[in-house]
Amino acid sequence: MPTATHRAPVLAPRLKPGDRVRFVSPASTPDRELVARGAALLTGWGLQVEIAEHAFDELGYLAGTDEDRLADLNDAFRDPGVRAVFATTGGKGAYRIADGLDFAAVRRDPKPLVGFSDITALHLPLWKEAGLVGIHGPFMNWWAPYFDAGSIEAFRRALMTTEEIVVRQDAAELSAPLTGGHAVTGFLLGGYLEAVRGAVGADLESLDGGILLLEVPRGSGLGQVDRGLTQLRRSGLLAGLLGVAVGQITGFEDDLINGWGVLDVLRDGLTKLGVPILGGLPIGHGRNPATVPLGTVATMDPVGGTLSVAAGVC
């Protein structure tokens, strides 16, 4: 079984009741009522929730200016009393501030950043520059119908325990038929396809010895998916890649061009990599998503239909 050799991941301490956590908006503006629901969820776990100064600012599709969004994020990383940083929502804009992160502060006092989608643009540089393990998990713009009791409890365990996280293939997920190949073990990195593609030439480094996590929400259509996969393949950063873990594909149900749908585009692009693939993972923009660390070692087993990921906190 191929095994990755890579940097030692930097783990933050697990959260415990009484810890202070902070909500920030590095991308778009969240809904105040939904953020209040997210705060109530974490308060129920015994955490003390703080809202960053500019979390509800509005500037076009951004939650305020780049300077203010970055200041909120860096203030959270620099505050020794803050033990985790939660993104309120994704949308657009996190990529605009990725190069201004205070990596020295992160290295001095590691704390997890929780989020996905556009927040992938922050997870990647935090891993590249500081080795920080991120948490691909729900936003605090909390829309309750998306989460059942099991996904909420798995979210809590990912932050407050050091248990291994096992995500099982769901045959009902659109990506399930992409599965094939043997088991591999390597560091897990990735997330939202468009954000991973957008980090080529900037914050995405070699995935030699790694497993690439991809989830694909509806964007500009099938061509955008094809462009993303092609750019990643041509970048050279996937040389030595051990496998691809495919999460939720959402919003493409009616997209067909001359009989080709999103699965055809993904299969065409991913099989060119010549590595094992495990599809059908409930990770991403769909309902009841799993929470997984990014940067720790994972074992992907296409035959057993499992992705087993080492804890993202210590």
Side-chain angles (χ1 to χ4, degrees), residues 10-13 74-80 82-83 101-111 126 129-132:
V10 175
L11 301 177
N74 280 335
D75 285 348
F77 281 128
R78 292 166 181 158
D79 188 331
V82 172
R83 300 320 312 154
L101 293 169
D102 189 341
F103 299 111
V106 172
R107 288 189 288 267
R108 284 195 306 269
D109 182 22
K111 60 195 73 174
L126 286 168
E129 302 295 339
L132 182 70

Side-chain angles (χ1 to χ4, degrees), residues 2 178 180-182 184 210 233 238-244 266-278 300:
L178 297 172
H182 55 273
V184 292
R233 189 175 68 251
L238 303 189
L241 183 72
L242 297 180
V244 181
L266 284 164
R267 186 178 290 109
D268 179 68
L270 293 177
T271 54
K272 288 182 170 70
L273 299 174
V275 298
I277 302 170
L278 172 58
M300 187 188 87

Side-chain angles (χ1 to χ4, degrees), residues 24-30 61-63 69 87-95 114-120 137-141 192 285:
V24 299
S25 300
S28 297
T29 307
Y61 46 76
L62 304 170
R69 298 193 327 281
T88 60
T89 192
K92 300 176 179 67
Y95 46 84
V114 184
F116 73 115
S117 192
D118 197 56
I119 307 305
T120 302
F139 290 126
M140 291 298 96
N141 199 50
Y192 173 35
H285 283 71

Side-chain angles (χ1 to χ4, degrees), residues 46-235:
L47 301 174
Q48 300 182 49
V49 175
E50 303 171 353
I51 309 294
E53 179 181 358
H54 301 285
F56 298 107
D57 286 3
E58 298 180 14
L59 180 67
Y61 46 76
L62 304 170
T65 67
D66 291 348
E67 293 78 10
D68 287 342
R69 298 193 327 281
L70 179 60
D72 278 355
L73 190 54
N74 280 335
D75 285 348
F77 281 128
R78 292 166 181 158
D79 188 331
V82 172
R83 300 320 312 154
V85 185
F86 291 80
T88 60
T89 192
K92 300 176 179 67
Y95 46 84
R96 294 168 60 116
I97 61 174
D99 59 346
L101 293 169
D102 189 341
F103 299 111
V106 172
R107 288 189 288 267
R108 284 195 306 269
D109 182 22
K111 60 195 73 174
L113 173 64
V114 184
F116 73 115
S117 192
D118 197 56
I119 307 305
T120 302
L122 301 178
H123 285 312
L124 292 174
L126 286 168
W127 164 253
K128 179 181 179 182
E129 302 295 339
L132 182 70
V133 171
I135 303 295
H136 189 289
F139 290 126
M140 291 298 96
N141 199 50
W142 192 262
W143 193 51
Y146 253 63
F147 305 94
D148 62 14
S151 63
I152 294 172
E153 174 58 15
F155 178 35
R156 187 196 68 79
R157 289 199 307 269
L159 291 164
M160 303 186 78
T161 79
T162 56
E163 299 171 5
E164 180 183 59
I165 295 168
V166 179
V167 183
R168 291 178 170 79
Q169 183 184 61
D170 182 349
E173 292 288 350
L174 185 59
S175 63
L178 297 172
T179 302
H182 55 273
V184 292
T185 297
F187 65 93
L188 181 70
L189 205 65
Y192 173 35
L193 171 59
E194 181 63 13
V196 176
R197 180 207 66 80
V200 171
D203 299 312
L204 183 65
E205 61 177 353
S206 170
L207 288 169
D208 183 10
I211 297 168
L212 176 61
L213 171 65
L214 293 177
E215 54 103 0
V216 190
R218 180 69 163 86
S220 300
L222 301 181
Q224 183 177 12
V225 176
D226 186 32
R227 283 193 295 273
L229 294 175
T230 302
Q231 184 175 358
L232 287 172
R233 189 175 68 251
R234 294 182 62 190
S235 72

